[in-house]
């Protein structure tokens, strides 16, 4: 396969390093170990191309995807002739390449939301100017950019005048306008369409894009060419689909904003117009594995937009091993290289059940022998399937063990992560009085609270103050010490209102806690100052654009709202506020590129918590890199380092580490070693507590791309799908005829990984390799 394509010298070096011998996909791909390394290969290839094409046309991505591409490109340019720079260039076949000068390149902006002001920090126009034109020293005069403020509209108007609600109705392209305003909007849409055609022509007049780099969305979109986009599409104003809107929600301040924004995007044909173009798609993490497989293994198809790269002889995918894990090539390498493990046997048998849609007890030895991978199982026999079934039963039995006399510390990167991951398991633990339970959320989580939610809450707080319904502010010592007291009473009263189905009372309970937060953050000294502070915060938020980074005190306020929500969830089980720990790690800043965890600032608070609580079991999210918010992965790094340091102080041979996953990524049966049954009652507790307590999340302003609704629904679906997998192996009768009521009542399953410290740190060391090459 590879001999049919002209690999560059850089690509040859990375291919050799990867050890991949066979590639059978429609588009060639190169594999690297981790996300930062993905940035390195992309930077090396870009600089190699730029050196050979000093006056070429380039189009580079925005968002979080190119973080390490940008960092490595800048690093190599700054260190081209230093010892370290020369070592990297020598290793990746850049030794004889002259340092490129990027100022001669023409930059083409890939896409932009519409309408959005170019002055907003969350516009792609701002991103391009900051990270590429300024960051790379590219020519601003040559750049072909999408500036929403400057696109001509009817009568020379600005988009705020033409589209005052920031919504563009594309049906006006085809229907008669009903009002004078709609007439202006229709004329403006035609002018935008004309502008897009001229944008396309400017690119084509230059011969097309010479070097294109893009990410890939959960629906397979490249640029904003979503699933179903025409293979011959060009630059246009268009709508997006839900998956794309969900991904964009973080940039724009919520799905309620991104769902109403259109986009201007170059087309699929724009990307491949130049037949000599280098077109590269980068993807990191196992969450992208399915769409990567579909994009690489299918023929040219508008359902998979990235298949358009088949038109380019220099079309490539650069992938982390996680992103490539579902490729037929990768599955084959998994089974045919390295030692055969019991996990491989389990995976082969479970996958065979799914492929043949046969229950485990109905699999014949012939089925295994005829299967490409199951046939490789050493000592294959009539008993093989029974052994796998027995192994799964053992995992289920572990999930039924009654734990007692444990000190449990459940941790999560964000508020709601613990609940969405293992709440039914925790429910089992908390029914035993001898267990002591603590919960800790390691970041502030403020980015998940919208400005609108805070404004509405503060307006209601003001009304309650006016009506004298927040009586605590009248107490003599409230503004000195009282605001810190009776937090458990807040929580108890709130949940009493939940029981009474008193929506007004619930809202009042939230407002009580918001008052305490405001007094704490702004050091409010009296009722008049409290009112002024509320007005100031409302004013700041009303004058902020959606998705704008908030001032630090408002970030803290949003975080404290989330912390109250977390306390409410665990109070369902009688857990006191003092046992819910809010760490607010410093790397979590709300910036587009968040920092890596710092060993002192971010590890020390976790270590202090370990010392104080002295847990016998610690739970944490065990998501692979690139498979959800990067916060999950960074919290895992910091926690692993804290465990390692704690192990230097005391004997941790008895400590157990529970690795769980939730809505962002799930374990396969062969990866987990504990399976916990989940009843309909468990699901109801999770759904009810989520809906009643995570008030800022119920409307799902930042939903999963897999579901337009609450995360609790996504979690439930994961648990049900995991039950389906195990039922296919063990048979449904295993469950409904089981001697234990807990198993008979199970309509979902939770998978997790129970490890000792040594196993956990070995796993973490594998993950840590991803930042060894960090700059």
């Amino acid at each position: 396969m590879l001999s049919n394509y002209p690999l560059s010298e850089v690509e040859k070096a990375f291919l050799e390093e990867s050890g991949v011998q066979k590639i059978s996909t429609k588009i060639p791909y190169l594999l690297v170990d981790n996300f930062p390394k993905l940035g390195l290969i992309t930077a090396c290839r870009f600089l190699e191309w730029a050196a050979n094409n000093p006056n070429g046309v380039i189009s580079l991505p925005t968002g979080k995807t190119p973080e390490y591409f940008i960092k490595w490109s800048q690093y190599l340019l700054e260190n081209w002739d230093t010892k370290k720079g020369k070592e990297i260039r020598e290793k990746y076949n850049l030794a004889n390449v002259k340092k490129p000068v990027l100022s001669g390149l023409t930059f083409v902006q890939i896409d932009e939301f519409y309408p959005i002001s170019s002055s907003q920090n969350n516009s792609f126009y701002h991103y391009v100017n900051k990270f590429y034109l300024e960051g790379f020293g590219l020519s601003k005069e040559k750049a072909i950019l999408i500036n929403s403020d400057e696109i001509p509209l009817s009568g020379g108007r600005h988009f705020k005048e033409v589209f005052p609600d920031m919504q563009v109705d594309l049906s006006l392209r085809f229907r008669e306008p009903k009002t004078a305003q709609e007439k202006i909007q229709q004329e403006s849409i035609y002018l935008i369409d004309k502008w897009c055609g001229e944008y396309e022509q400017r690119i084509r007049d230059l011969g097309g894009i010479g070097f294109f780099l893009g990410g890939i969305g959960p629906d397979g979109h490249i640029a904003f060419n979503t699933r179903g986009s025409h293979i011959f599409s060009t630059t246009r104003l268009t709508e997006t689909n839900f998956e794309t809107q969900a991904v964009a929600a973080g940039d724009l301040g919520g799905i309620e904003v991104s769902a109403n924004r259109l986009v201007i995007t170059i087309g699929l044909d724009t990307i491949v117009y130049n037949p000599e173009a280098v077109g590269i798609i980068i993807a990191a993490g196992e969450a992208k594995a399915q769409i990567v497989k579909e994009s690489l293994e299918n023929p040219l198809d508008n359902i998979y937009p990235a298949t358009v790269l088949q038109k380019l002889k220099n079309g490539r995918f650069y992938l982390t091993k996680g992103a490539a894990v579902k490729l037929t090539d990768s599955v084959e390498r998994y089974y045919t290289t390295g030692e055969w493990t019991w996990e491989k046997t389990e995976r082969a048998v479970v996958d065979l059940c799914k492929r043949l849609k046969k229950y485990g007890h109905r699999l014949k030895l012939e089925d295994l022998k005829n299967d490409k991978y199951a046939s490789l199982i050493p000592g294959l026999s009539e008993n093989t399937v029974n052994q796998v079934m027995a192994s799964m039963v053992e995992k289920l039995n572990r999930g039924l063990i009654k734990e007692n006399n444990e000190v449990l510390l459940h941790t999560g990167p964000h508020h709601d992560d613990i609940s969405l991951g293992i709440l039914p398991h925790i429910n089992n633990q908390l029914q035993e009085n001898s267990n002591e339970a603590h919960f800790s959320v390691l970041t502030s989580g403020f980015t998940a609270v919208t400005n609108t939610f805070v404004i509405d809450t503060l307006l209601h707080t003001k009304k309650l103050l006016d009506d004298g319904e927040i009586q605590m502010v009248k107490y003599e010592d409230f503004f000195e010490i009282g605001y810190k007291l009776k937090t458990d009473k807040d929580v108890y009263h709130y949940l009493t209102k939940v029981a009474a189905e008193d929506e007004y009372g619930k809202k009042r309970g939230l407002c009580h806690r918001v008052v305490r937060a405001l007094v704490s953050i702004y050091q409010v000294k009296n009722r008049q100052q409290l009112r002024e502070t509320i007005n100031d915060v409302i004013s700041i938020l009303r004058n902020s654009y959606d998705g704008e980074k908030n001032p630090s005190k408002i970030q803290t306020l949003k975080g404290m709202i989330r912390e109250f929500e977390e306390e409410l969830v665990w109070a369902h089980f009688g857990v006191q506020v003092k046992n819910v720990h809010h760490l607010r790690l410093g790397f979590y800043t709300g910036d587009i590129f968040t920092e890596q965890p710092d060993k002192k600032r971010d590890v020390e608070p976790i270590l202090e918590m370990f010392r104080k609580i002295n847990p016998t079991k610690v739970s944490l999210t065990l998501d692979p890199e690139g498979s959800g918010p990067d916060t999950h992965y960074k919290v895992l790094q910091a926690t692993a380092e804290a465990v390692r340091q704690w192990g230097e102080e005391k004997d941790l041979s008895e400590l157990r580490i529970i690795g769980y996953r939730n809505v962002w990524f799930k374990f396969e049966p062969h990866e987990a070693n504990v399976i916990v049954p989940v009843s309909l009652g468990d699901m109801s507790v999770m759904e009810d507590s989520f809906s009643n307590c995570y008030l800022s999340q119920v409307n799902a302003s930042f939903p999963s791309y897999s579901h337009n609704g609450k995360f609790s629904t996504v979690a439930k679906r994961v648990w049900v799908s995991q039950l389906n997998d195990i039922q296919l192996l063990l048979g449904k009768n295993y469950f409904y005829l089981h001697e234990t009521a807990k198993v008979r009542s199970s309509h979902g399953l939770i998978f997790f990984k129970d490890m000792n410290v040594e196993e956990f740190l070995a796993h973490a060391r594998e993950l840590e390799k991803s930042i060894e090459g960090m700059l």
Side-chain angles (χ1 to χ4, degrees):
M1 169 67 189
L2 289 170
S3 58
N4 301 336
Y5 289 85
L7 291 182
S8 79
E9 292 304 309
V10 163
E11 289 177 325
K12 288 175 187 174
F14 277 95
L15 177 65
E16 188 177 340
E17 185 177 75
S18 74
V20 172
Q21 301 293 322
K22 178 191 169 191
I23 292 180
S24 61
T25 49
K26 306 284 185 188
I27 302 166
Y29 61 87
L30 289 170
L31 284 187
V32 294
D33 288 336
N34 51 63
F35 191 32
K37 193 75 169 278
L38 191 64
L40 176 60
I41 180 178
T42 314
C44 288
R45 180 68 184 104
F46 169 64
L47 295 174
E48 177 187 42
W49 183 89
N52 294 322
N53 300 272
N55 297 306
V57 180
I58 62 170
S59 206
L60 304 175
T62 51
K64 293 192 176 186
T65 303
E67 176 179 1
Y68 290 102
F69 162 68
I70 292 168
K71 287 179 177 176
W72 274 117
S73 295
Q74 290 174 332
Y75 179 85
L76 286 168
L77 287 169
E78 290 165 9
N79 293 275
W80 198 261
D81 291 315
T82 66
K83 183 172 181 290
K84 172 77 172 168
K86 284 179 177 176
E87 283 174 7
I88 294 170
R89 290 198 295 120
E90 184 78 38
K91 187 173 182 180
Y92 297 114
N93 291 348
L94 283 171
N96 299 320
V97 173
K98 190 179 174 187
K99 180 180 176 180
V101 177
L102 304 185
S103 56
L105 298 172
T106 298
F107 185 92
V108 173
Q109 186 173 337
I110 292 177
D111 47 25
E112 182 60 280
F113 302 113
Y114 189 87
I116 189 170
S117 174
S118 59
S119 63
Q120 291 185 198
N121 287 358
N122 59 345
S123 72
F124 292 154
Y125 179 88
H126 178 271
Y127 183 109
V128 161
N129 274 273
K130 178 178 179 180
F131 292 110
Y132 291 134
L133 302 189
E134 293 169 19
F136 281 15
L138 299 172
S139 166
K140 292 190 179 185
E141 291 68 39
K142 283 186 170 188
I144 301 174
L145 303 178
I146 306 171
N147 184 336
S148 296
D149 292 308
E150 294 179 358
I151 296 174
L153 301 178
S154 177
R157 296 174 177 86
H158 188 265
F159 66 71
K160 287 180 181 173
E161 190 181 349
V162 177
F163 307 109
D165 59 359
M166 305 295 272
Q167 296 185 33
V168 183
D169 180 2
L170 289 185
S171 73
L172 283 165
R173 279 183 178 144
F174 314 111
R175 66 172 174 84
E176 286 291 314
K178 295 173 184 173
T179 63
Q181 183 72 12
E182 279 199 346
K183 176 69 175 162
I184 292 168
Q185 291 176 343
Q186 184 184 64
E187 291 169 358
S188 297
I189 290 169
Y190 290 152
L191 284 169
I192 297 168
D193 290 341
K194 179 171 181 271
W195 183 91
C196 288
E198 291 166 352
Y199 191 89
E200 180 77 21
Q201 193 59 53
R202 288 172 71 191
I203 298 168
R204 296 192 177 212
D205 287 346
L206 293 170
I209 296 165
F211 186 94
F212 173 85
L213 176 64
I216 186 165
D219 70 319
H221 72 250
I222 54 173
F224 273 127
N225 295 283
T226 55
R227 183 181 55 249
S229 295
H230 202 293
I231 292 296
F232 293 98
S233 55
T234 55
T235 304
R236 64 207 183 279
L237 174 69
T238 185
E239 296 172 332
T240 57
N241 55 16
F242 171 73
E243 294 100 319
T244 306
Q245 292 159 9
V247 172
D251 294 319
L252 292 177
I255 191 77
E256 52 276 2
V257 182
S258 60
N260 292 313
R261 282 289 186 283
L262 300 189
V263 294
I264 293 173
T265 180
I266 62 174
L268 296 175
D269 201 50
T270 320
I271 294 168
V272 299
Y273 175 75
N274 177 357
E276 299 300 314
V278 171
I280 299 169
I281 299 293
I282 54 176
E286 293 182 38
K288 293 285 175 72
Q290 187 61 37
I291 193 60
V292 164
K293 174 182 171 67
E294 289 162 343
S295 300
L296 284 177
E297 296 185 355
N298 280 293
L300 201 63
D301 191 332
N302 65 334
I303 299 297
Y304 306 114
T307 56
V308 76
L309 261 61
Q310 292 175 29
K311 291 186 171 188
L312 295 177
K313 64 184 177 185
N314 291 311
R316 302 281 188 273
F317 269 59
Y318 292 172
L319 307 168
T320 65
K321 287 179 177 173
V325 77
K326 290 192 176 180
L327 292 176
T328 302
D329 291 344
S330 297
V331 175
E332 186 155 323
R333 279 193 291 272
Y334 170 81
Y335 282 115
T336 58
T337 61
E339 65 168 323
W340 189 274
T341 61
W342 177 249
E343 276 195 9
K344 288 185 182 182
T345 297
E346 285 189 340
R347 179 176 171 182
V349 170
V350 172
D351 285 355
L352 182 59
C353 287
K354 288 161 117 174
R355 209 159 31 246
L356 299 181
K357 295 185 171 58
K358 265 189 176 184
Y359 289 112
H361 64 273
R362 290 192 176 151
L363 284 180
K364 303 276 194 296
L365 184 56
E366 283 306 302
D367 293 327
L368 278 75
K369 286 181 175 177
N370 291 334
D371 183 69
K372 188 174 184 180
Y373 304 125
S375 61
L376 300 174
I377 296 172
L380 192 61
S381 73
E382 296 277 1
N383 203 34
T384 299
V385 176
N386 290 334
Q387 289 173 331
V388 172
M389 290 169 73
S391 173
M392 288 300 164
V393 168
E394 175 55 31
K395 294 179 186 186
L396 269 160
N397 289 339
R398 277 187 217 135
L400 292 170
I401 294 170
K402 298 278 188 197
E403 297 166 274
N404 51 60
N405 296 308
E406 301 281 5
V407 179
L408 308 159
L409 172 58
H410 294 291
T411 74
H414 303 94
H415 308 83
D416 75 22
D417 275 326
I418 306 168
S419 171
L420 294 169
I422 51 171
L423 188 141
H425 177 59
I426 294 169
N427 194 5
N428 295 339
Q429 294 173 326
L430 295 183
Q431 286 171 5
E432 170 55 54
N433 286 333
S434 66
N435 291 329
E436 177 189 330
H438 293 259
F439 299 86
S440 179
V441 179
L442 276 62
T443 69
S444 171
F446 56 79
T447 58
V449 182
T450 63
N451 291 352
T452 304
F453 181 85
V454 177
I455 291 169
D456 289 348
T457 303
L458 290 177
L459 288 171
H460 194 71
T461 303
K462 259 175 56 169
K463 184 176 185 310
L464 291 171
L465 286 167
D466 289 345
D467 295 346
E469 290 203 49
I470 300 184
Q471 294 164 355
M472 61 186 182
V473 297
K474 297 174 184 172
Y475 296 159
E476 211 170 277
D477 64 347
F478 178 75
F479 292 98
E480 286 73 50
I481 188 72
Y483 71 92
K484 296 180 182 177
L485 308 175
K486 297 191 176 179
T487 49
D488 282 302
K489 184 180 176 185
D490 283 352
V491 170
Y492 186 79
H493 275 209
Y494 180 98
L495 293 181
T496 300
K497 300 305 179 187
V498 170
E501 299 182 17
D502 179 354
E503 289 300 316
Y504 182 83
K506 280 168 57 180
K507 207 161 186 184
R508 184 172 164 229
L510 171 64
C511 294
H512 266 76
R513 181 55 71 91
V514 165
V515 167
R516 293 184 191 277
L518 289 167
V519 174
S520 171
I521 298 163
Y522 293 91
Q523 299 185 336
V524 174
K525 297 303 178 193
N526 54 55
R527 277 183 275 173
Q528 180 58 32
Q529 200 182 338
L530 176 60
R531 169 171 285 281
E532 290 166 2
T533 302
I534 290 172
N535 287 334
D536 286 347
V537 174
I538 291 173
S539 175
I540 290 168
L541 291 176
R542 279 182 170 161
N543 289 306
S544 301
Y545 55 81
D546 290 309
E548 183 174 359
K549 184 179 176 182
N550 297 130
S552 61
K553 286 186 177 180
I554 293 180
Q555 287 181 345
T556 305
L557 175 62
K558 287 183 171 184
M560 290 178 80
I561 289 171
R562 298 233 63 198
E563 289 166 3
F564 178 54
E565 293 174 343
E566 194 72 13
E567 290 166 8
L568 291 172
V569 170
W570 303 119
H572 273 64
F573 307 97
V575 176
Q576 290 182 286
V577 169
K578 67 181 176 61
N579 280 24
V580 184
H581 310 273
H582 310 296
L583 262 56
R584 307 179 189 173
L585 297 185
F587 75 82
Y588 187 87
T589 59
D591 293 318
I592 181 117
F593 300 142
T594 57
E595 302 170 40
Q596 287 296 322
D598 177 85
K599 290 205 171 177
K600 182 152 188 66
R601 179 195 62 198
D602 299 316
V603 175
E604 191 64 35
I606 305 174
L607 182 57
E608 274 301 312
M609 181 171 65
F610 287 159
R611 290 169 179 150
K612 181 181 170 188
I613 296 170
N614 201 20
T616 57
K617 287 194 174 184
V618 175
S619 75
L620 43 79
T621 51
L622 203 65
D623 285 334
E625 181 190 16
S627 296
D630 64 352
T631 306
H632 284 218
Y633 187 61
K634 289 173 178 176
V635 161
L636 180 61
Q637 292 172 18
T639 306
E641 178 59 23
V643 169
R644 190 192 65 74
Q645 289 186 26
W646 196 32
E648 292 175 356
E649 300 174 7
K650 67 169 284 183
D651 176 14
L652 299 183
S653 57
E654 298 298 313
L655 179 67
R656 304 301 298 179
I657 308 287
I658 306 301
Y660 65 88
R661 292 177 180 170
N662 52 37
V663 298
W664 299 107
F665 204 69
K666 66 176 196 173
F667 283 115
E668 294 299 325
H670 64 275
E671 296 176 304
N673 59 11
V674 180
I675 299 176
V676 178
V678 180
S679 68
L680 286 174
D682 291 328
M683 292 182 193
S684 295
V685 170
M686 195 264 296
E687 282 268 27
D688 288 349
S689 62
F690 190 95
S691 299
N692 287 317
C693 302
Y694 293 121
L695 293 176
S696 66
Q697 306 306 299
V698 170
N699 292 329
S701 289
F702 305 97
S704 161
Y705 60 80
S706 65
H707 173 62
N708 189 1
K710 295 181 294 186
F711 280 123
S712 52
T713 307
V714 183
K716 198 163 69 169
R717 288 177 181 175
V718 169
W719 299 344
V720 171
S721 76
Q722 291 178 168
L723 172 70
N724 291 339
D725 287 351
I726 301 304
Q727 278 188 342
L728 197 52
L729 177 69
L730 299 182
K732 290 183 180 177
N733 59 336
Y734 173 83
F735 290 87
Y736 67 76
L737 294 177
H738 200 276
E739 61 187 21
T740 307
K742 187 71 182 168
V743 178
R744 289 197 301 275
S745 67
S746 58
H747 295 281
L749 296 174
I750 289 174
F751 296 168
F752 62 77
K753 204 172 178 68
D754 184 328
M755 300 163 282
N756 62 31
V757 168
E758 199 176 306
E759 289 165 333
F760 169 63
L761 291 179
H763 181 85
R765 272 193 292 276
E766 284 300 307
L767 294 169
E768 226 177 2
K769 289 177 184 175
S770 69
I771 56 166
E772 280 179 359
M774 293 269 301
L775 313 179

